[in-house]
Structure formats: structure tokens, C-alpha cells
Amino acid sequence: MNVLLIGGGGREHALAWKLAQSPMLDILYAAPGNPGIRQHAELVALDIADHAAVTGFCRTHAVGLVVIGPEAPLVDGLADSLRAAGVAVFGPSAAAAQLEGSKGFTKDLCARAGIPTAAYARVASRAEADAALARFGVPVVVKADGLAAGKGVTVAMTRQEAESAVADLFADAGATAVIEEYLEGEEVSLFVLTDGEALMPFGSAQDHKRVGDGDTGPNTGGMGAYSPAPILTPALEAETIETIVAPTVRAMAATGTPFSGVLYAGLMLTAAGPKLIEYNARFGDPECQVLMMRFAGDLVATLLAVAEQRLGALPPAEFAPAPALTVVIAAAGYPGTPRTGGGIAGIDAAEANGGTVFQAGTRAGPDGLEAAGGRVLAVTASGATIGEAREAAYAAVAGIAYPDGFYRHDIGLRAVAREREAR
Ligand code: AMP
Ligand code: GLY
């Protein structure tokens, strides 16, 4: 079968790497791809926003499955256009992708279905927001409504911070926001494949969102991750599926907008049990890199079963028990304007040291590989424990020669401390 992969980041390199291992695969195409993805796929110059061009390509190249990596084409309805043209696609419709695209939509669904999440108010003006702030007290969380690439959220510890976040948001005409209760606990991510009806738990992970060591500095798309997340015990995972994920999937089907794809649940493990922080309608980046490292099944077969609504007939997903950990190397300046063009060497050395290097913002320059974006590489390894996976990943990082790059030194440290305590 020929497969077309949409996207060109570290998540998509990990997907390409795993798709390429499937005995079912004939040709893997990727649009736009990147130099890492090119090792596994034929890159095609397709305008992803031109849905007719994408469906036309699928027809002329006998593509049997399209895998959509990022959220933007989902929210833009690419999956709808492909389905309408009779092409099997892994990824939700635009209506279902609202679970990620609109925080207000998700909060209202949680309220209707009795899904545990932070108490909230949807506000459409500065005055409504101020009234909500008065009700909630501090700490409080202020969120822009709509896709904001992880940047539209302020966790305000003081009233003043909350008010200035609200003032910033409503400086734009027509802005809407969600004001919500602050949840205390540890964050964890759970991934679940669903074809709109059947569920297949697909692993857990913990991300490191702040740019600096010790969780300091601004939020990023993610500076590192590990999988599995031991704090999400099998009992807590089962509780999350029963109280959060399954009722969501049922509610989406009941309103005629079934969700098909991967549901990425961002959870807070509170004293009162798991609560939903947010949903994403796609794999996490860099969580996907550690999930793919551990996934032991056939990714083409699995994603095709989701696309063709046959997921219920498949056995549970199998993952290697050995944990995986990834360290993101970013370009100086990230998450602000990154310095692009810096030369990158040493990928072979990193891989000889036992790592797997997934490329994100890279391009082929006149003198070889160079940086083309904020997050540049995700250096990934596995080991018998999170501690060993961590050592292997940092040993591989040491092989990389990218003078413009920087990375966090404490990925997975908290989990390693817990492993030590448990011994
Ligand atoms: P979101 O974009 O909704 O995932 O929010 C980004 C980050 O803000 C989350 O990963 C949490 O660290 C934090 N956050 C969001 N909502 C809450 C909440 N209700 N309580 C505490 N922290 C939150
Ligand atoms: N790593 C966080 C995300 O993909 O949204």
C-alpha cells in the first residue's frame, strides 16, 4: 500500500520511521517532509491547503492511506475532503478536531457529559472576564479560545497577572476566552486511538513544556518527553478512559461528529482523581517520538484500521516495556524567533552512541544539514529504566555538533528520582 504522510516536523519523522517498518508499505510519500523524513519517504511538493491537489495526488499515486500529523490541516478540514473523495485517512474531521481547536467547545462537552475538568466560564468581553475573575479568585487560568500553539494560556498566581492577561486578550476585537479553576497536581498525557466507536489505549508520556532547566522560562511546544509515565498507573489509566475518554467519544458520536484518529488527553492527576486539562486531536510532538520508539505493532495496519472503522477487531496495541526518552535540541532564540541556518553535524555519531535522531526544523543547506526552525532535533533512546533511557539519550546528544543549539539537561529527572525512591 502507498501511504501519504502530511507534515514535516519531528513527530512526522517518527511516524515516517515507524510507517517505513511496516511490511504492508509499498511507497511512503510525505508533504512537505524534511531531510530526516526523506530517509524513509519520497518528498512531494503539494500545497496542503489545496485539498483538490491532495486528493488528486492520492488518485494518481494510488495512495491507500493518508496520515495527517499536525493540527492545522485537521482544523482546515483536509480529512473531510479526503473522505469525501473516498480516500482512507487517519485524522479527525474539522468538526471533531474542535476538541483541540476550541477550548470552549471541549469545556461545554465536558459539562454536558459530566467529564471531570476544571470549573470554567466562557467570556466574550472584558467585563464578563472581570466578573469571572472576581468569582474564581487566584490562582486562576486564562485561556484564549482557538488554536494558539500552546501560547494562549496564562496560569496567573496573582489577580494582577490575571487582569493583565485578560487585558491582552481583549485588546483584539472579537476575542473570546475561557477563565478556569486552577488544578493542582502532576500533568500526564494519555493517547488513545479511536475510530469513533472502539478505543485502543496507545501509551502515556510526560512532556517538559518550559524552555529552561527546572521548568523555568516561557512555554514551548515541548523540550523533551518520556514514555511510559509511571505516575499514570494501570488503575488511573483505566479510570481516565472510563470517566474522560470513553464519554467524550460517545458524546462526539451522539452529536453526529464522531472523532476518528488519536485523542491526546492532557490530564492533571489531582487529589480528587484525573481531570482533563485539554484535548489534542493529533499525536504530541515530541511525545510521538517516544511512543513510536516503543510501539511494537504495525503502524500502517493500525492506522488503516482506525481510518476504515475496524479498530474494534484489532488486539490491544503492544508497546515495548522498556521506557524511551527524547531530548529536543532547539535553535538559539526559541521559543521566540529562532536563529536559522546553523550547521548541524554528528547525527551518525549520535546514532552510533545508541540514539535515534528525529529531525524537526532542518533543511539541506549548501554545506550540509542546517537548522530551519525552532525545534531542530529530537534525540531519542530507550533503556531498561527511565534512568538508563535518559543516560542513553544524553550520550547520543553528546555526539551532535550543532553550535547554535541548546537543550534542557533535566529531561526525565523527576521520574528518575522516583525510580530511585522505589528501589
Ligand atoms: P493548555 O494549552 O490548555 O494545555 O494549557 C497549557 C498548560 O497550562 C498546561 O499544560 C498546564 O500546565 C497549564 N494549565 C492549563 N489549564 C490549567 C488548569 N486548569 N490548572 C492548572 N494548570 C493549567
Ligand atoms: N508536546 C505538546 C504538544 O504536542 O502539544
Side-chain angles (χ1 to χ4, degrees), residues 207 209 221-222 264 280 282-287 375:
D207 190 9
K209 285 201 173 134
Y264 158 1
N280 293 303
R282 50 166 177 87
F283 283 112
D285 186 348
E287 292 91 330
R375 293 188 292 173

Side-chain angles (χ1 to χ4, degrees), residues 103 141 143 153 180-183 187 209 277-278:
K103 294 190 190 294
V141 183
K143 301 184 174 183
V153 177
E180 69 177 48
E181 170 200 6
Y182 174 78
L183 297 175
E187 280 185 71
K209 285 201 173 134
I277 299 174
E278 62 157 1

Side-chain angles (χ1 to χ4, degrees), residues 191-194 198-203 241 295 302 306 311 314-317:
F191 297 84
V192 179
L193 300 185
T194 174
L199 303 181
M200 178 187 277
F202 209 68
I241 292 193
F295 181 54
T302 306
V306 172
L311 192 61
L314 261 51

Side-chain angles (χ1 to χ4, degrees), residues 40-78:
H40 313 288
E42 194 175 304
L43 304 194
V44 289
L46 263 178
D47 176 2
I48 292 162
D50 182 347
H51 296 183
V54 178
T55 52
F57 179 88
C58 292
R59 224 171 276 123
T60 52
H61 292 75
V63 169
L65 173 69
V66 178
V67 177
I68 302 180
E71 59 273 29
L74 295 171
V75 170
D76 187 40
L78 180 57

Side-chain angles (χ1 to χ4, degrees), residues 289-316:
Q289 288 83 320
V290 284
L291 290 180
M292 289 307 126
M293 200 79 190
R294 294 184 51 236
F295 181 54
D298 180 329
L299 192 61
V300 174
T302 306
L303 302 188
L304 187 65
V306 172
E308 294 181 341
Q309 281 180 278
R310 296 185 283 102
L311 192 61
L314 261 51

